[in-house]
Each structure stands twice: as structure tokens, then as C-alpha cells.
Amino acid sequence: MSTGGSPYRRHRKDVESGGSGDFQDYGSACDPFDIVSTKSASVDRLRRWRQAALVLNASRRFRYTLDLKKEEEKKKIIAKIRTHAQVIRAAYRFQAAAGSEPEGAQKAPPSPIPTGDYNVSPEQLASMTRDHDFSALQSFGGVQGVAEKLKTNPDKGIPDDESKILERKNIFGSNTYPRKKARSFWRFVFDACRDTTLIILMVAAAASLALGIKTEGIKEGWYDGGSIALAVIIVIVVTAISDYKQSLQFQNLNEEKQNIQLEVVRGGRRVKISIFDIVVGDVITLKIGDQVPADGILISGHSLAMDESSMTGESKIVYKDHKSPFLMSGCKVADGYGTMLATSVGINTEWGLLMASISEDNGEETPLQVRLNGVATFIGIVGLVVAVFVLVILLIRFFTGHTRDAERRVEFIAGKTSVGDAVDGAIKIFTVAVTIVVVAVPEGLPLAVTLTLAYSMRKMMADKALVRRLSACETMGSATTICSDKTGTLTLNKMTVVEAYICGKKIDPPNNKSELPSRVVSLLIESVAQNTTGSVFLPEGGGDVEISGSPTEKAILQWGVTLGMNFEAVRSESSIIHAFPFNSEKKRGGVAVKLPDNEVHVHWKGAAEIVLAACTRYMDDNEQLVALDEVKVEYYKKAIEDMAAGSLRCVAIAYRPCEGETVPTDEDELAQWELPEGDLVLLAIVGLKDPCRPGVREAVELCVKAGVKVRMVTGDNLQTAKAIALECGILRSDADATEPNLIEGKSFRAMTEGQRLEVADSISVMGRSSPNDKLLLVQALRKRGHVVAVTGDGTNDAPALHEADIGLAMGIQGTEVAKESSDIIILDDNFASVVKVVRWGRSVYANIQKFIQFQLTVNVAALIINVVAAISSGDVPLNAVQLLWVNLIMDTLGALALATEPPTDHLMDRHPVGRREPLITNIMWRNLLIQAFYQVSVLLVLNFRGRELLHSEHDPAEHAIKEKNTLIFNAFVLAQVFNEFNARKPDEMNVFKGVTKNRLFMGIVGLTVVLQVLIIMFLGKFTTTVRLSWQLWLVSIVIGVISWPLAVVGKLIPVSEKPFSEYFTNIFSSCKRHKNRGGNEDDG
């Protein structure tokens, strides 16, 4: 292997590049089905493969793909609603600027009679927020006035009383919007009826029915046409039931995707509720990355900036304050934090109107689906050619008098045979040819992907993974590397302060107040209470303190409580005049606090070594400010290193008193004021313990065994990252903990693009990384040919999540922006769940391969048997009804049985599958050809020598031929049933391992056998079969059972590593070269 290539590239043709720009929509330009990633494929590429596919039933085949026409309509509707909203707002802005009412613009409607106990109507509130009508807000008495009318408290929210909440829902509406009605079962029946071949068969059945009744009377004449019609109806009903069940699964998953959880304040307590449970009057906390869940007005905010592009289409960041307090549902918090009062919900908001207009889910194709459409098209064309060939041969034989009936009489004699008999004979031939097309075109092959994805997605929910993009589910099976966050993913995210350095010494235990001077404790409590986005709630009747916020915030607030902090009292004594929200680039956050005596304190909190570097003094035991000399700085640095080496997260707390004249008094200037970042006084450095998750080491080892490299990308100190990486098994030993295995974000960032590409493969741990460093790493790895999965939780992780092949957002700590940019949401934030997703991804691919092997065996065998028999004898042993039953076993029931196999540990013993590796591997070709050759050989022997082998030469000819054909049909079906077991484990000897755990598989096999017995024993009139003796049943079973030992022997035959398809490509290329060389010699 070349040193420049990726050790994880599985196949030399699997040259995948990553990153952005030119290499997003990669795939072969000449092959419309070669789309490696549908995540960012152009509309033109998507349209091309649809046009190239051979499809019998477009409405069914493309049901779960992106509806390109609907997508265009959706964009137009969004543009229309956005334009309408902008026009209204522009009119009000003009009115406000001019101080007069613009022509045509109407004032807010006069107040309707107040509803219930509330002094304001839903229409008034909706009009005020939708039109951003500041004068209407003032007329209500501002935010406080609206809150009073809505009987809510801006600090404590609405009372947490179910009956009162229900009353609000009844008056102001619920936070839901009308959805388009789901497709009914009959719609799926109608879709299944639109299959071209089934329509042709129905027409042929109707013609056959009419002719049969005319010539033989209604008692006997309806069987031929009626049996085909009945078989077609059964196929339609079974197909519709399968499709309907799938659609219900997708519907449930879509509802789960939209169910956002967020924090509101009710009864003074912060509680997490569903977005659908928000009511008018709720006080909602907002932080960076959140989605605004309802229309409302700002109560209070610090540096609050909104991204309103989802509503306005403009990617301009809009700052919110008391002059511009209106917040629109559906917008994202780009920066800062604050609280809002919900004034309109659901359909009364612009977002609700927008979602109601486009609420129907518009599907999405996956790369595997596209590739399988290519396979189905190729097989379908071969089948179509074969069917036409059989049709022509049989018609020629029939009309030239070479076709004989069971009694060896010529079926057609020119001038003697009646027109009715001639047409009836031609219809039977035509029906057989059309049925060959039904069997040959594997319409169910691309749909099997949807089936296995629907099944996998439902099961993955139980494994704590919510799939947002179908394609990610299968792409995860090809992942060669996972770039994981540390906090909360590899660790438990349950932090506690276990060490503290205050007043230039270590305090043990960290909450030992007796060692600390009161002034230091007072400043620490002030900093902890004010410089936070969390909150502390003390129940009125007593009880345990409830702390909310991020795990880091909760740990520090808990430490503050043990130091004697009264959260509410501290917050009310001083007020925040300006804030710098925590920033993952600067790794710190700060607030400016105004005290009752007008003194201003600026408090900072953040990464220990970064805050320490900004400090020039510290406060000692005597409450004196002492200069931080070199010795003391080294003491603190050593403390940070020791804590980090013990896998603690180090956070420093510092402050700076500000002189009155340096603090702006003007509100606009204050909004633009940059908090002083230097000359700080160090108050404390604390170490937070966040233990490794149980089972994470085993999960990492499983990834290594499966050929998937795990990399840790964290914003934490490099030493903390190293300690956790050693604990988790990402780094094997201290010897591994050297550059470039262990690297700092800034070092990686400073490299040239070429250098980054060189070291990217080696990186195991990146510490003190910014979201941009994560993005650069993802781009470098993708350019190296990796299929990259990335975990992320912050808003700034969105670009990396979007850039990666699979973006994994955290369900608990993840912001709404991160979740929207992701492909899969890990609901429990656990790395072990990420590994389960890898297993499921591989399972999807493996299940599809099992189904392909099974289906192609049936295809090849059925086609060869009918073609050889048609050419040689002018008759086919498998008639239309029998072939439709075989098609049902092969397509719908086969897909259900094999596409829903649960994942096994064996899947993690292999290396990742390259995304351009052949779908049909050499192992599959070997298994498929052995089984097909065996089935064809045995059944053709029965076809040509059946009467001799059954000793029925002297029996009546019609019965003897029917018995022989029944045996062929029965043996063929049972051979498929036994081969279904072989298909479960294409590369393992024991095909029965875990079979009893898959109840669906056992149920389908059992159902197939029971139906086959009923068909042979009781439905002979419909299927043109006769009852078989127990001896012939035994023969059929033995023919089927032989496929098991045959499969074991076949697996002993070694196969080449090089895909078979490449041999044909090479032969074709050498022939082409030889031809060109010959042409050049002639020219010479």
C-alpha cells in the first residue's frame, strides 16, 4: 500500500474525496446511477438517474425518493410567505419612520371582546408580533403590560397547573399546525395497481376470462382468466399492506424529529417540555443555538442575536433588545442568551403558516437506493429481452403448428382452428411472456432498501439514535473514522468540583469556607451567580435545591451553593448591564455587573490557562491584591497540569473592578462596549471531574477491530484530553501521546493545507480545538479518502456536522442548530450508541446483499428454466399464476424476511465497505451461481425426463404432464425456501445461527410453506396443478434440502479478491486497445 493513501480505503476504485466546493457531488459522469453521496447531489444528477431507470411502477418505485416537482413548489410557497411578511413589515417601518400611516396599510384591528379571563385576544397578539408593531406593544403597557394581561410573571412564568395550561390552549390555541392527511391504505392499493405488467396481466386475464366463458361456459371457462386475476389481486394487496406499514413507520419517525425539547419557566422552576406543549404566556429561556418555539417578545437578553434566514430568506444577523423586542417562531439564536414571553403559537405564527403549507415530508433517496435502481434496470433489460425472445419463439411455434397439447395434438392448424381458440392460445403465450417480465424485473430490489431502512430506523430509536437523513443510516456502515467530542460523549457529563485553588493555595475540600476570607467568598458567589446561563430553584415548601443549566454550569453552581450562595438574593442585589456569552473560539465568557453603590465588576470564567494568562493579580488570605509573579504563575500552571493529568476539566474564575468613567452610560454605547479582558484578578481555579462512561473503552476497541479509527476532538486542555484518551483506549499508551497523534488545535490550524493532509491520518487526539479546527480536520480526512462521522453539540459545530459524511448531533446537550445540521441525533449522548449506529449501518448494507443474492438466484433459475423449455418444447413448466406466486415469495415476502435481519457481532469483524465497491461481491456470485446451476439442472432434468423418472409414461398424457409440472413448481418453491436460509449468512458456514431470534423470518418461511401446501393440495384448479403424493412431497423437500450441504461445499471454494466486474472491464479495455492499435497499423 502506498504511503500516501489511506489505510482504510477498501478498494482501489473507491477514490472518494471530501471537503467542500468542487468535490461535494462526486460520482462518475457517465454512469447516472453512480452517486456516492446524495447529501449534496445536484437536482440534475438526481433527475438523470430517474430518467435512466427501467421502471414498471413509477409511483411506487419513487415514493420514498425526493419529489423534485414538489421541492420546486415548496420553494415557491416559502418565497411567497416570506415576501408577504417582508411587505407588511416594510409598510410599518415606513409608517414608523414617517410618523404617518402609509396608504393601504391598516392599523391593528380594534380590540375584540377579551376571551376568558384574559384582557387581550389571540388576534391582537398575533397582529402585534407578526407586524412587529411597536406602538401596539406600547399601548398594552410594554412587556410588563402584556404579561399582566396574559396573567403571567416575567420572572416566574405561568403557574404549573394542568387545568390552567389546558385553558390557555383552548383560548389561544396549541403550538401545533394542521398537517396534511396521511395516505390511506386504499391509496397504496391504487399505487400497487399502477404497475405496467400487472395492468397488462389484468387485461390479458379479462380477455382470457371472456374467451373461456364463451367457449367452455361459465362453470369451467372462468378458471384460466380468473386464476390470473386472483393472483394479481393477491400480489396487489400484499404489496399495498407492506408499503402501508412502511409509511406508518416513517410517519412516526417524522413526528419524533419535530418534537423539540426546550426549557420554560413555570412556577419559578425551569422545566423541560416539548415544543408542542408551549402555550401563550410561557416564559421561555433562550441560549445560543436554540430555535425560537413561538412568536413572542423579549423580556430580557444579553448580546442576543437572531438568525432570521428561515423566515426572511436573508442571512443577516438581527440583534434584539427592548427597542427591537419581537421574536419570530422558527428563527435561531445566533449569539447571546435571554428570556422571551410567548404571545402567539401554532397556526397564529408565520412559521406555523409556513409549516402547514409544506408539512408533507418530501422523501429522500439514498446512494444504495440509486445503485439498486441501476442493478434493477440492468436485470430488467435482460429480463425484457428474454421475455420478448420467449414470446416470439412461442408465437412462431404456435402459428407454424409446432405446439402440441397434452394429448400430443397440434394446437393450431391454419384454416381449421377457430379464431377464438387461436386468440386464446396467443393470450396464454402472451401472459407467460408478461409474467416472465414480472419475475425478471426486480421492482422490489430498490424498495428493499426503504424496507430495511424503515426497520433499522425503528430499531435504532430503541438504541437511542434518531435518524434525520435516511442516507446517513447506510453511509454509517462505510465510516472509516469517527471524530468524537469528549465531554458527554466519551464521558458521563456529570460534573462535580473536586479541586480548588483559591488565595494562592489548594483548598481541601474545595468548599471549605473556613480557609477563605469573606471578601473572596463574596466575590466568588457574585461571579458564580451572575456569570451563568444556569439557574438555582429552591422549592417554597423546602426540599432539595434544583439546579439547571449545562453540566459545567451545574457543577459550578452546586459548588457556589455549598459556599453559601443564595442565588435569587445575589441576582436581585446587583444587575447585569452587559454580557459576553461563552464563546468556543475564545473559550471564555463574561458579564459586567452593576452593584447597588454603582460600582461595576466585570466577571470572567473560562478555560483555566487562557483566563490565567489574562490575570495580573490574585487576592490573598488577607483580602489584599497581590501581583502574580513568575513563581505564582508557575505554581498555578503546575496545578492546572496536575488536575488535567488527572482528567479534570480546569476552569478559572477572575474579576476586575471598573472605574465608573470607563463604563459607558449611554445605552447604545453600552451595547457596543467590549468588556475589558486584561489586568484581571484571579479568584479561583477549580477542577471538575467528569468520569468516563462505563463501556466506552469496549466500544472504542470494537471500532478498532472493525477498522474504524476513533479520534477525540475536544475544546479541553491537551493534558485532560490525553488522560481521558488513555482511559478510553483511544491512545494505547503514553508512548502514543506525542505529536502528531496528540495535537493542539492552534498547531493544526497554523499548518498549510498540504501539511494538514499529511498529519490528518495520524491524529488521535486534538485538544483546545475550535469548531473551525474540527471542520479543517474533517475536510483533510475526507480528502484522504475517509468516510467521516463527526459528533457535535454546539452551534459552531454545524459546519463540521454538515461537511462530514455523517453528522451526529447530541440529543441532550446538542443545540437545535447542531441537530438541524446533523444526519443522526444520538439521544443519550453516549459514544456506545454511536458504535451501535455503525453496526446498524453495516447491517443495512449486509441485509440488502442477502436479498440481492436470494432474488438473483430466483431470477436466474426461473428465466433459464422457462427459456430452455420454451425453445425446446414450445411449452413452459411454470405458468403465469405460479410465476406470480414465485414473484411474491421473491419480492415482498423475501424482502420482509431478509431485509429485517438484526445486526450481529460478525458485522464488526470486517473492515468498512467502500462506497464504490461492487454491490454483488465475488462471494455472492459464487453462492448465487452454485445454487442457480443446481436448481436449473435438477428442474430441467425433471422437465425433459420427468415422466420417465416418475414412471408415468403410461398414465393419461394430460395428468402426467400436470404432475411433472406440479413437481417442478413445488420443488422450485421449496428450493427457494431452503435457499432463503443460505442467503442469511453469505460468508458463514452456520446459516442457522440466531435464526430463531428473528421471528419475522421464521414467520414468513412458515407462511410460505403453509401457503404452498394449500396451493398444491386444494387450489389446483387455479394454479393448473395436481395433488402430489407424499413420496413426491418428499422428493420436493429433498431437492430443497440439498441446497444446504451444497452451500457449505460452495463456501470452501476460494474466490478472488478482485471483483468479477473488473475482469470484464479489463477484457473490454484490452479489446478496445487492440482494435485501436490495429486501426493505427492500417493507417501506417
Side-chain angles (χ1 to χ4, degrees), residues 1076-1084:
N1076 290 343
R1077 203 180 300 129
N1080 293 339
E1081 283 169 11
D1082 291 346
D1083 293 343

Side-chain angles (χ1 to χ4, degrees), residues 204-487:
S208 179
L209 195 66
L211 279 166
I213 292 168
K214 188 183 174 186
T215 52
E216 296 176 47
I218 195 157
K219 198 172 182 183
E220 292 294 323
W222 72 276
Y223 281 114
D224 277 355
S227 55
I228 294 172
L230 188 64
V232 169
I233 288 164
I234 290 168
V235 168
I236 286 168
V237 170
V238 172
T239 302
I241 290 169
S242 171
D243 290 352
Y244 180 59
K245 286 192 79 175
Q246 269 183 61
S247 82
L248 290 178
Q249 286 182 3
F250 282 124
Q251 205 176 311
N252 293 339
L253 285 162
N254 283 331
E255 282 171 15
E256 197 63 44
K257 279 186 220 171
Q258 291 159 350
N259 188 11
I260 298 166
Q261 298 292 312
L262 38 84
E263 274 190 349
V264 298
V265 180
R266 285 184 178 173
R269 176 192 276 125
R270 281 199 196 186
V271 287
K272 270 207 166 185
I273 63 167
S274 162
I275 190 169
F276 303 128
D277 294 332
I278 295 277
V279 292
V280 168
D282 259 326
V283 172
I284 303 156
T285 61
L286 298 174
K287 60 184 183 302
I288 186 167
D290 282 351
Q291 177 176 313
V292 179
D295 280 2
I297 45 180
L298 184 68
I299 297 171
S300 66
H302 299 289
S303 307
L304 192 66
M306 306 302 298
D307 173 6
E308 296 185 346
S309 57
S310 57
M311 280 311 303
T312 62
E314 297 169 9
S315 54
K316 192 170 70 176
I317 299 299
V318 181
Y319 286 90
K320 296 291 173 181
D321 51 34
H322 74 275
K323 290 180 184 173
S324 173
F326 297 105
L327 297 165
M328 285 191 289
S329 177
C331 299
K332 308 287 188 302
V333 181
D335 200 6
Y337 56 92
T339 54
M340 68 171 277
L341 176 66
T343 55
S344 296
V345 293
I347 203 70
N348 292 327
T349 68
E350 278 174 27
W351 181 253
L353 287 169
L354 187 68
M355 295 312 286
S357 311
I358 57 167
S359 59
E360 195 172 346
D361 193 60
N362 205 5
E364 169 223 352
E365 54 255 66
T366 73
L368 200 52
Q369 214 172 0
V370 177
R371 286 178 75 188
L372 282 171
N373 269 288
V375 173
T377 297
F378 174 74
I379 299 167
I381 290 167
V382 172
L384 214 53
V385 170
V386 169
V388 170
F389 183 66
V390 169
L391 178 67
V392 171
I393 294 287
L394 290 181
L395 285 174
I396 290 170
R397 289 183 66 100
F398 180 76
F399 287 112
T400 54
H402 289 83
T403 305
R404 295 172 183 270
D405 63 14
E407 303 298 331
R408 307 299 298 158
R409 292 191 300 265
V410 174
E411 286 196 3
F412 179 83
I413 301 167
K416 292 186 179 178
T417 307
S418 69
V419 174
D421 286 346
V423 171
D424 193 36
I427 284 173
K428 280 180 182 172
I429 291 168
F430 182 69
T431 305
V432 168
V434 173
T435 313
I436 287 174
V437 176
V438 173
V439 175
V441 178
E443 193 74 1
L445 202 51
L447 296 168
V449 182
T450 318
L451 181 70
T452 190
L453 284 172
Y455 168 78
S456 302
M457 284 165 73
R458 186 165 53 87
K459 291 290 185 183
M460 281 164 81
M461 275 294 287
D463 278 345
K464 304 295 180 192
L466 171 64
V467 178
R468 293 187 74 255
R469 284 181 67 89
L470 275 178
S471 55
C473 202
E474 65 190 44
T475 309
M476 200 65 187
S478 300
T480 58
T481 186
I482 300 169
C483 298
S484 173
D485 285 335
K486 175 187 77 70
T487 308

Side-chain angles (χ1 to χ4, degrees), residues 661-730:
E661 61 271 13
T662 62
V663 181
T665 49
D666 180 68
E667 210 167 286
D668 292 332
E669 283 179 27
L670 192 62
Q672 300 301 317
W673 182 45
E674 287 193 10
L675 295 182
E677 296 180 3
D679 194 23
L680 305 182
V681 176
L682 182 67
L683 292 176
I685 294 178
V686 293
L688 285 75
K689 181 71 178 169
D690 185 13
C692 250
R693 280 186 182 273
V696 83
R697 191 180 183 90
E698 291 78 9
V700 170
E701 281 170 4
L702 190 61
C703 283
V704 173
K705 188 174 81 167
V708 181
K709 177 158 182 169
V710 181
R711 305 167 202 269
M712 181 199 289
V713 184
T714 177
D716 264 350
N717 182 305
L718 202 57
Q719 295 305 314
T720 308
K722 174 188 163 184
I724 293 286
L726 285 165
E727 207 177 323
C728 293
I730 291 171

